[in-house]
Amino acid sequence: MTAPVRTEAATVAVSLGARSYDIVIGRGVLASLGVRIAALRPGAKTFIVTDENVARHVLASAEAALAHAGVATSRVIVPPGEASKSYRVFEQVCEAIIASHIERGDLVIALGGGVIGDLAGFVASVVRRGIDYVQVPTTLLAHVDSSVGGKTAIDSAYGKNLIGAFHQPILVLADTALLDTLPEREFRAGYAEVAKYGLLGDAGFFSWLEANWREVFAGGNSSGSFAREHAIAVSCRAKAAIVARDERETGDRALLNLGHTFGHALEAACGFSERLLHGEAIAAGMALAFAFSARQRLLPAAEAERVTRHLAVVGLPTTPKDIPGPLPSVDQLMDLIAQDKKVKRGMLTFVLVRGIGAAFIEAGVDQSEVRAFLSEKLAER
Ligand SMILES: NC(=O)c1ccc[n+]([C@@H]2O[C@H](COP(=O)([O-])OP(=O)(O)OC[C@H]3O[C@@H](n4cnc5c(N)ncnc54)[C@H](O)[C@@H]3O)[C@@H](O)[C@H]2O)c1
Ligand SMILES: [Zn+2]
């Protein structure tokens, strides 16, 4: 890990009554892990769940930060990748926690990307009928999305995230220096979710990203730029506000699914493989949601093109033709969309846009118009 350049941190509050917590964002904040845990839960033991890649880069620093504050810890290291969100790995992690005598008042630490956050959070929600946990996200996607909001899950043979629970962490510690070792492709995929917050509700933030995305990617504060920290803080604030309004996704929280209907269909069509990472699918999905909204005359075509231009300039796919390898047929995509979202009398529920920063939920989208639109897009290849 690079030496901390700055320990001054930005804090974003997630306001959920008795389940409220802070997201602490900054380069080097991992060093404060033990002190913060000791302050929140004096005397608690901890159990770190992490994956092999993260362990290589970050585990020693995390353990040192805990030792520094006298916080006892043990750990389990699971293989990297979505396959670890399985019953088998879930069982291994539960048994390892119980074997290490973790009790009700102790803490799980999820040290990793969204896979580890979802797995460890779900484990924490059920072990000993539920214990607290802390998120230490190590991917950009986890910094701005999966570590915030309390959705936890593992996967079923029938689909992703089908076995899970709402379980809020008691702290999210987002050390932006940890992102320095993340493969660039993973960083770029996570950036799609950052752009999403601008596109769904904050036009000013989207304009800021158009001007400053290079500094967000570069990170590092030595030149006095805190662009990465700013982008993460704005994203977390946006997600925190939506989660505070609608913790269990009965309404507004669905806005976070902008780009996810088209995106999930493309991701599933690629078999959730290396061919198309989640964030890449979401970038294409958002560009398609804007293009589809423009086709519905909800906004000028030029504004949809502006979205495509920005996503393309950072190197993200914006249309099916950008995805390598054989593409699905329109029938396959429509089947996948129908599986993902409930269809009522030929009508789909979709997040559409009236402009950059102006997303809304539309329950009456005609399936046949989506089909016609996707046929055109697939033919572009
Ligand atoms: N709970 C939620 O609200 C929510 C939201 C969005 C996504 N998710 C879930 O998140 C998961 C995807 O998360 P992800 O994109 O972070 O994937 P991930 O956790 O698989 O991490 C991506 C890769 O980067 C590696 N890695 C992680 N941190 C690293 C670091 N600092 N340096 C080097 N390598 C590192 C990992 O080992 C892995 O190989 C999916 O399972 C998705 O369902 C959950
Ligand atoms: Zn997403």
Side-chain angles (χ1 to χ4, degrees):
M1 201 186 91
T2 28
V5 177
R6 171 199 192 230
T7 47
E8 181 196 329
T11 300
V12 173
V14 185
S15 305
L16 289 166
R19 294 183 309 289
S20 297
Y21 54 95
D22 284 343
I23 308 164
V24 179
I25 302 154
R27 186 163 274 267
V29 295
L30 180 65
S32 68
L33 178 66
V35 177
R36 289 177 195 275
I37 284 178
L40 281 167
R41 293 288 184 276
K45 295 196 294 288
T46 61
F47 187 94
I48 298 175
V49 182
T50 192
D51 77 26
E52 288 155 8
N53 294 333
V54 180
R56 211 165 41 245
H57 295 296
V58 196
L59 185 58
S61 315
E63 288 178 337
L66 293 167
H68 169 72
V71 176
T73 194
S74 42
R75 56 169 150 105
V76 66
I77 302 173
V78 306
E82 185 72 25
S84 282
K85 281 173 61 175
S86 66
Y87 287 111
R88 199 175 49 78
V89 177
F90 167 76
E91 179 184 350
Q92 282 168 2
V93 175
C94 288
E95 296 299 332
I97 288 180
I98 293 162
S100 69
H101 305 289
I102 291 294
E103 287 156 24
R104 276 304 289 277
D106 294 333
L107 283 174
V108 169
I109 299 174
L111 178 66
V115 164
I116 291 299
D118 280 13
L119 170 70
F122 182 50
V123 166
S125 79
V126 291
V127 162
R128 295 188 178 275
R129 297 201 179 84
I131 60 179
D132 286 334
Y133 73 115
V134 170
Q135 289 272 16
V136 183
T138 65
T139 64
L140 181 57
L141 179 134
H143 274 221
V144 300
D145 192 356
S146 59
S147 71
V148 177
K151 278 192 183 176
T152 74
I154 58 171
D155 300 334
S156 146
Y158 292 94
K160 273 183 51 139
N161 298 328
L162 293 179
I163 305 114
F166 283 96
H167 188 48
Q168 299 291 345
I170 62 162
L171 170 70
V172 179
L173 200 56
D175 186 334
T176 54
L178 305 187
L179 305 180
D180 293 346
T181 58
L182 195 62
E184 179 155 356
R185 187 179 172 197
E186 292 286 351
F187 190 94
R188 190 181 298 119
Y191 180 84
E193 305 279 5
V194 173
K196 182 183 79 177
Y197 295 108
L199 293 174
L200 76 85
D202 189 343
F205 181 48
F206 185 74
S207 300
W208 183 88
L209 288 171
E210 287 177 311
N212 296 285
W213 67 272
R214 285 185 183 78
E215 285 72 54
V216 176
F217 274 66
N221 308 140
S222 49
S223 59
S225 163
F226 292 96
R228 181 183 287 177
E229 288 71 23
H230 177 73
I232 291 168
V234 172
S235 300
C236 287
R237 225 172 277 134
K239 181 153 185 186
I242 291 176
V243 168
R245 286 206 297 278
D246 178 21
E247 186 179 3
R248 296 207 163 221
E249 195 167 325
T250 53
D252 263 13
R253 188 163 177 171
L255 288 172
L256 296 171
N257 296 332
L258 173 62
H260 282 60
T261 302
F262 288 129
H264 278 158
L266 292 168
E267 204 182 357
C270 294
F272 296 100
S273 67
E274 285 290 303
R275 238 178 97 197
L276 188 66
L277 301 180
H278 174 75
E280 295 169 344
I282 288 336
M286 292 191 297
L288 291 170
F290 270 81
F292 180 72
S293 299
R295 199 177 195 264
Q296 304 290 102
R297 300 185 192 288
L298 289 165
L299 78 162
E303 199 161 338
E305 282 154 21
R306 185 179 149 201
V307 173
T308 297
R309 221 168 22 249
H310 177 60
L311 296 172
V313 90
V314 310
L316 285 162
T318 59
T319 175
K321 78 170 175 3
D322 295 338
I323 301 167
L327 281 182
S329 66
V330 74
D331 288 332
Q332 280 171 289
L333 282 181
M334 290 308 296
D335 283 349
L336 289 164
I337 286 174
Q339 268 172 36
D340 195 36
K341 298 280 148 183
K342 281 177 211 87
V343 190
K344 283 186 199 136
R345 287 183 231 92
M347 295 294 178
L348 291 162
T349 298
F350 242 88
V351 184
L352 296 181
V353 286
R354 292 197 179 86
I356 291 170
F360 66 100
I361 299 160
E362 171 59 65
V365 175
D366 196 327
Q367 230 177 328
S368 61
E369 292 190 18
V370 176
R371 171 181 291 272
F373 169 76
L374 280 177
S375 299
E376 275 173 29
K377 288 289 166 190
L378 287 166
E380 274 176 9
R381 196 168 222 197

